[in-house]
Amino acid sequence: MKRRSFIKKATLSSLTVLVGTEIVFGEMIPSGYTPLALQDPDPFKLFQKNKEMILLNDRPWNLEAQAHLLDEKITSNEFMFIRNNGKVPENIDVKNWTVTIDGESVKQSKTYTLEELKSKFKHHTYQLTIECGGNGRAEFDPPAKGNQWTVGAVSCATWTGVRLKDILDDVGIKSNAVYIGYHAADAHLSGDAKKEPISRGVPMAKAMQEETLLAFQMNGKDIPLVHGYPVRLVSGGWPASTSGKWIQRISVRNKEHDGEKMTGSSYRVPCEPVAPGEKVKDEDMCIIESMPVKSLITYPKSGAVIDSGKKLSIRGHAWAGELEVTKMEYSIDYGSTWQAAKIEAPANRLAWQHFSASVSFPKKGYYEVWARATDAQGTSQPMLLPGWNPKGYLNNACHRIAVKVS
Amino acid sequence: MNEQDKFRATVKAVHRSLMLVLVAVVVFSGLLVFMMVDPDFSSLRSKDMASYEVVQPVEEVDEDLIVDGIHVRTGLIEADGFMEVVNNCTNCHSAKLVTQNRMNAERWAATIDWMQETQNLWDLGRNEEIIINYLVTNYPPLKIGRRAPLTGVEWYELKE
């Protein structure tokens, strides 16, 4: 009953807006609820996304790309997946936006305005791979709960900002620092102002890496609102949830950060492998750090029909968390034989790498082209699903496309 | 009673009913004018939420519209327990988060516990069983094994 009258209220107030009269019931709209943005739910227009992006969830907003949409070497906003845990903050006041560094392990807490961050510290630009820890979740059996990402929750844009390391050095960090945790401006879905939708972080070693940025630009422009405007923590190669958006505060902790979605089973996998469907106690779950080796065929789109005797050019990207991809292969016979593909060096550390190959088919018929990347430690992508885990993280199984030769 | 008195009484009765009609017309047109100025009668109500609850929705039909067994607004399958799911499971998050997940009764119960412990979900009471039955009946887990075949391929001629 409550929910229904809530909808009625919303409908009515948006109607008055449509009619162009005064918002008669403006003050009756529950606080924190923004009818305009949510009642006109065209996320493609709202976030300037390509129409072929797949909408997984509209509250909170979650959209993913398809493999062929990620063909660009540097992912543009149009094709960048959206993963939100809470409500996108509104009415961002850039002039008064501040970032505070606090926590048990700072010598004294310090607050910077956005202007100070930009003017005080040197700017750096890196192309950084950001992949959702749950990318590929849809393939797990038994299914894991959460957004059912297929392959498109990954991006590699250029990010410009200042090094978190430079800021932490300026603040002064105690020797007992263990972890950093971010706090951001997004609101909890339940509307409870005391709850944070997500507050994750990384160990000090990752926080102090050269490529770990407090970024204010994406692909040379202000970061789009839904991707973290005006300032985002970017930690490439790690689960995207560690790259917090709309950053207001970073706490330097003397223990593993215990913010929302750091504990329990969130962004964790069993410390020791388990059978599919097995129950795992929270204390037996370990935090995901660097993402595993993976690749995606971005051209051609699955379903290509080509003439017999013609070669097929394929291309795509490969990445391996903290590591580099050293070998790229493809197979047209379900892994019986593998052929080498050309793999380029990354634009910088933690950027995805581009691969390409020219594929010949022995005769007419149905084929699948499977791609397999191997990282610097010799670990390759599995052809089948990797170890089952309760939350469906880290599916880095080989990507494949269907091809017909006629 | 003579003829004259009878006539007088009749005239009085006619006069009374005429006056009644006149009053009714005045009140009715006054009401119409009021509705033109203030169609929501907002000036008559105190501005608290309680009185607002009684306002009738403008598009009640659309909100509950069902086409081919699917509730248009949420995308949920119309079946036993569907309204309980709409009323309890689409307040905080989208119904899309429900329909894209497939779990057995035990795991749904655990998910509901988790939402109650951490996400401010209320006690569902007897509705919990109805909701779980609806979910496992209409969105049962599918066996896809260690790797499913490629399905739904859209074939197209590739010209290079």
Side-chain angles (χ1 to χ4, degrees), chain A residues 205-225:
Chain A
K206 179 65 177 169
M208 300 302 269
Q209 269 184 7
E210 289 187 351
E211 298 85 0
T212 302
L213 301 178
L214 266 192
F216 34 79
Q217 285 197 326
M218 183 182 109
N219 294 336
K221 291 185 196 143
D222 281 350
I223 301 172
L225 174 64

Side-chain angles (χ1 to χ4, degrees), chain A residues 9 58-59 143 195 301, chain B residues 52 90-91 94 107 118 156:
Chain A
K9 268 169 254 163
D58 48 23
R59 198 157 36 106
K195 278 184 176 289
K301 183 185 174 186
Chain B
Y52 190 60
T90 63
N91 292 267
S94 167
R107 292 190 60 221
T118 67
Y156 65 96

Side-chain angles (χ1 to χ4, degrees), chain A residues 154-204:
Chain A
V154 62
S155 69
C156 194
T158 61
W159 296 89
T160 302
V162 297
R163 285 181 178 148
L164 181 59
K165 173 187 188 302
D166 290 348
I167 303 169
L168 296 183
D169 285 345
D170 184 62
V171 171
I173 302 302
K174 292 187 198 164
S175 58
N176 65 353
V178 172
Y179 228 89
I180 62 120
Y182 64 75
H183 301 276
D186 47 347
H188 197 267
L189 290 177
S190 67
D192 187 339
K194 286 183 298 245
K195 278 184 176 289
E196 285 181 295
I198 187 163
S199 167
R200 303 200 67 238
V202 292
M204 288 313 291

Side-chain angles (χ1 to χ4, degrees), chain A residues 48-113:
Chain A
Q48 294 167 331
K49 296 293 172 186
N50 186 278
K51 285 278 180 201
E52 284 188 68
M53 297 286 281
I54 308 292
L55 177 66
L56 294 182
N57 203 336
D58 48 23
R59 198 157 36 106
W61 291 113
N62 284 285
L63 277 88
E64 73 168 330
Q66 304 182 52
H68 69 280
L69 300 179
L70 291 169
D71 195 40
E72 299 169 298
K73 291 196 165 180
I74 299 173
T75 314
S76 52
N77 174 62
E78 194 187 347
F79 301 114
M80 181 178 281
F81 75 99
I82 297 176
R83 197 286 182 256
N84 282 327
N85 289 265
K87 297 184 208 176
V88 179
E90 309 230 332
N91 307 320
I92 283 172
D93 182 2
V94 193
K95 284 215 173 73
N96 294 311
W97 190 278
T98 57
V99 176
T100 300
I101 312 293
D102 63 6
E104 303 96 347
S105 296
V106 292
K107 285 180 179 148
Q108 79 295 313
S109 62
K110 198 165 174 180
T111 298
Y112 301 90
T113 65

Side-chain angles (χ1 to χ4, degrees), chain A residues 3-5 9 57-59 139 141 143 145-146 148 188 192 195 279 301 303 305 383 398 400, chain B residues 52-53 58 60 73 90-91 94 100-102 106-107 118-120 144-148 156 158:
Chain A
R3 196 201 60 80
R4 290 168 66 85
S5 54
K9 268 169 254 163
N57 203 336
D58 48 23
R59 198 157 36 106
E139 285 194 282
D141 179 13
K145 79 180 164 112
Q148 299 296 303
H188 197 267
D192 187 339
K195 278 184 176 289
K279 269 200 189 136
K301 183 185 174 186
V305 180
M383 289 184 71
C398 290
R400 61 236 154 105
Chain B
Y52 190 60
E53 302 276 343
V58 181
E60 176 76 8
R73 182 164 57 78
T90 63
N91 292 267
S94 167
Q100 64 177 315
N101 278 285
R102 289 167 179 273
E106 190 190 4
R107 292 190 60 221
T118 67
Q119 306 295 307
N120 293 2
I144 53 174
R146 203 86 208 179
R147 201 84 210 251
Y156 65 96
L158 179 67

